[in-house]
Amino acid sequence: MLSGFGLLSLLCGCSGKPKEIAAVPTSAASAQPAGPAIFEDVHESSGLDFMITKPKQPLNILETIGHGVGLIDYDNDGLLDVVLVGPDQVRLYKNVGSLKFQDVTEKAGLRQPGYWGGVAVGDYDNDGRSDLYLCGYNCSALYRNEGNGRFREVTREAGLQALPPDSRKNGDWRTSAGFMDLDRDGLLDLYVCRYAEFGPNTVHLCGDPQGEKYSCSPDIYKPQHGFLYRNMGGGKFKDITVEGGLTTAAGRALGVAFADYKDSGWVGIAIANDERPGDLFENNGRMQFINKGVASGTAFNINGHVHGGMGIDWGDYDQDGLLDLFVATYQNEAKSLYHNLGKGQFTDRALDAGLSERMDKWVAFGSKFFDYDRDGYSDLMVTSGHVINNTARVNPGTQYEQPVQLFHNRGGTFEEVTAQMGERARKLIVGRGLAVGDLDNDGRLDVVISQNEGHPMLLHNRVENNNRWISLHLVGVKSNRDGFGARVIVTAQGRRQVIDSSNAGSYMAASDSRLFFGLGPAERADAIEIRWPSGTKQTWKGLEANKFYRLTEGKPTAEVIR
């Protein structure tokens, strides 16, 4: 936990209660599943014994923001390992197969002190080993993967150590982060979100006339603005936030996601901000960015208001070849599904797509598009949990623990199928980070969710159907080793799916770096087209379904991994 100024001893009051919100049921996730469970929480048998506990008294805003989760194959054995972080806690769990994990933190050399939040994973030095970046309140750490199960902290030598001059007074509050090759030079750059000024002299708790204390609204805190670090090679990064045009960000950022949303060959940056306009940075190809949030139609919700943006992700939900943007928001605020109209323009279709009414009552955080049933359409999972731990007293009819929701894509519209998840998966939680990946390599995507209080969830995908799939591990040569930023198009039985390679998005999380495509009944992918960040274009034809492939830039044959 934080030290130096006793966060919980400052019971400063501020006027006004949290915004009034509609009463919600306490049994939203308690319906019995219809048929076999889609997902079940198996964390109790997994070895993921990570635990976060928070003080019993009202939590301040720092203590409510939460902590993330990352998936990383740190030892290159083909199995996804799990990183979980919290107050003075960093844990690395090695995947030993069959959804079993062993804590290998001590051997890995990951330091513990720090109020950790965000997790980012990427091979920043192109040595074939995934590296790790962690950040939080007044803390950040870049770990170079040395092999042999060990990491070495290189934060200072990489140029990422310096804190802003006023950090002692106002704090340096970093939230989500993500790696992406934004200038197509073959090296992964790093964007780091920052939240708000919060220090020993700021208000920590608000209250009502009856003496009830609770976490303050974010809009009383002055926004901080994120950092863009350019990878200069040789293990060095340079802060180019100012020269790159990123100072126009609205601030109070909680989520970041990358995509070539204009199909221009250059990856843009979408940022979810808390009760501030959303940012959408257009990449003009010279490591210069222009904030198109307002002009694009993604800065505000369908009602023209700012929203409490938290989780964020890109996905072509309607298969028109254009990547759309989902933003998870605060309770009683419209959730936003920004439909890509082309040429950098968007319109909010969350209501038309069947999402908004099913989610608006919750405080939504981690969010991810993925095809859980392999039918070829991107589904959506969202985890929620209130930010006021005594909300039931502050606003009767509301609740702290909230459901994980699953929405099945019916070809451009969504149907909530949360009730079809297993009993343990429908348990109400204080959800925050959400990462997606095939943890047992069975061709079904699983989910790890971090809680603000309690154990993580490990949602095992148990879907049984005849749909097929294909998994792609990209290896860049001229491009960055991870292939982040590659545009991948898979065609099967006349249907085209588009994914931009990235493991960022969601909330304080890093997902599986491999790309997963459901093929429905197709026995093979008719064509797989990749436009690498270097500009190289390749096509592979007739790859059989239900296999893991390694696709290497410039290499004409696909390698079957398993």
Side-chain angles (χ1 to χ4, degrees), residues 90 94 117 128 237 260 290 371 427 506 523:
V90 176
K94 176 179 169 56
F237 288 84
D260 180 7
I290 302 173
D371 185 0
K427 178 183 177 182
S506 190
E523 296 181 355

Side-chain angles (χ1 to χ4, degrees), residues 300-319:
F300 306 102
N301 66 19
I302 195 171
N303 301 313
H305 302 145
V306 297
H307 43 41
M310 292 173 280
I312 187 169
D313 201 33
W314 291 98
D316 182 13
Y317 78 95
D318 55 354
Q319 289 191 354

Side-chain angles (χ1 to χ4, degrees), residues 147-362:
N148 300 317
R150 291 199 61 81
F151 291 86
R152 179 171 66 90
E153 186 175 351
V154 294
T155 320
R156 185 181 298 276
E157 64 187 77
L160 300 177
Q161 178 70 26
L163 296 175
D166 64 347
S167 61
R168 183 176 296 275
K169 176 182 178 183
N170 296 320
D172 177 30
W173 192 345
R174 306 184 183 202
T175 55
S176 293
F179 287 103
M180 178 55 64
D181 184 1
L182 294 166
D183 53 359
R184 291 172 36 181
D185 65 351
L187 299 168
L188 291 179
D189 311 299
L190 177 66
Y191 188 82
V192 181
C193 297
R194 295 203 303 157
Y195 190 60
E197 293 186 358
F198 187 86
N201 298 317
T202 55
V203 173
H204 284 209
L205 288 173
C206 294
D208 60 21
Q210 289 72 43
E212 189 74 51
K213 302 291 183 180
Y214 44 77
S215 174
C216 299
S217 172
D219 53 19
I220 77 167
Y221 298 105
K222 184 177 179 180
Q224 291 185 331
H225 299 83
F227 296 125
L228 175 59
Y229 295 103
R230 185 176 192 175
N231 191 331
M232 308 303 292
K236 303 291 185 181
F237 288 84
K238 179 184 177 182
D239 183 352
I240 63 162
T241 309
V242 175
E243 60 196 85
L246 276 298
T247 56
T248 60
R252 282 209 299 265
L254 289 175
V256 61
F258 306 98
D260 180 7
Y261 63 91
K262 293 183 70 176
D263 195 17
S264 65
W266 297 95
V267 174
I269 309 172
I271 303 172
N273 301 312
D274 198 358
E275 302 302 336
R276 303 280 289 176
D279 298 314
L280 182 61
F281 282 99
E282 179 180 297
N283 186 342
N284 71 3
R286 298 184 300 275
M287 211 58 169
Q288 296 289 312
F289 296 83
I290 302 173
N291 196 342
K292 296 285 189 176
V294 174
S296 68
T298 61
F300 306 102
N301 66 19
I302 195 171
N303 301 313
H305 302 145
V306 297
H307 43 41
M310 292 173 280
I312 187 169
D313 201 33
W314 291 98
D316 182 13
Y317 78 95
D318 55 354
Q319 289 191 354
D320 63 356
L322 299 171
L323 294 174
D324 312 295
L325 182 66
F326 177 78
V327 179
T329 66
Y330 188 70
Q331 188 164 319
N332 215 39
E333 291 181 346
K335 276 53 178 175
S336 291
L337 178 63
Y338 296 109
H339 174 71
N340 193 334
L341 300 172
K343 299 182 179 180
Q345 297 298 304
F346 296 79
T347 185
D348 194 338
R349 291 188 179 168
L351 186 61
D352 293 341
L355 289 176
S356 194
E357 289 184 340
R358 305 296 299 179
M359 281 190 284
D360 286 358
K361 57 176 147 317
W362 308 120

Side-chain angles (χ1 to χ4, degrees), residues 1 11 16 31 90 129 155 217 261 293 297 321 334 352 372 389 397 425 477 532:
M1 297 293 291
L11 302 180
V90 176
R129 296 187 292 263
T155 320
S217 172
Y261 63 91
D352 293 341
Y372 76 85
N389 64 324
V477 177
W532 297 90

Side-chain angles (χ1 to χ4, degrees), residues 72 74 83 85 89-92 105 108-114 116 118-125 127 129-135 139-147 150-158 160 179 190 237:
I72 177 174
Y74 82 101
V83 177
V85 299
Q89 291 190 84
V90 176
R91 289 285 178 267
L92 173 62
T105 308
L110 304 175
R111 69 180 170 95
Q112 304 305 307
W116 301 105
V119 181
V121 173
D123 184 1
Y124 79 91
D125 55 358
D127 66 354
R129 296 187 292 263
S130 294
D131 309 299
L132 183 64
Y133 177 79
L134 307 177
C135 60
C139 59
S140 64
L142 177 64
Y143 289 100
R144 182 179 185 272
N145 190 333
E146 301 281 288
R150 291 199 61 81
F151 291 86
R152 179 171 66 90
E153 186 175 351
V154 294
T155 320
R156 185 181 298 276
E157 64 187 77
L160 300 177
F179 287 103
L190 177 66
F237 288 84

